[in-house]
Amino acid sequence: MAKQPAANGTIEDYMPLFKALCHPTRAQIIEFLLSGERCVCEMTGPLDLSQPLVSHHLGLLKEAGMVNVRDEGARTYYSINDERFDADLEGFVAHVERLRSSPRPALGTTTACATAGPRGRKKSA
């Protein structure tokens, strides 16, 4: 069952997206599918991989909710789940922007690194 698009909580909410993209084969498959729907047989040659291995990676992408599957006769066609893919990418960028714009503790506030001086150097005693 495909997981829901990432929430607006933490960066960990975006792990399914990053796990889908972190393997070179899955990244290449995503690149192929961004240009349109493809059958597994259209990807095995350019990827220089066997059909079972390409299907395995497509299955992981499907499980992550990143691809749609359509059967036509004996062939199975895959395409990017544009709504999910775009929502996760846009959501991640928005999350990073929120973190960057959120207020930081004022200088002088006690933190775990209160003994560090400028640029992380320890203050001399």
Side-chain angles (χ1 to χ4, degrees), residues 1-17:
M1 175 181 225
K3 297 175 183 174
Q4 295 298 313
N8 291 329
T10 67
I11 286 180
E12 286 183 32
D13 294 330
Y14 297 92
M15 291 304 294
L17 171 67

Side-chain angles (χ1 to χ4, degrees), residues 12 15 53-54 59 98 117:
E12 286 183 32
M15 291 304 294
L53 188 54
V54 174
R98 279 192 303 279

Side-chain angles (χ1 to χ4, degrees), residues 14 18 87-100:
Y14 297 92
F18 291 113
D88 279 358
L89 287 176
E90 291 167 6
F92 178 73
V93 170
H95 182 73
V96 169
E97 289 172 352
R98 279 192 303 279
L99 290 174
R100 286 180 174 161

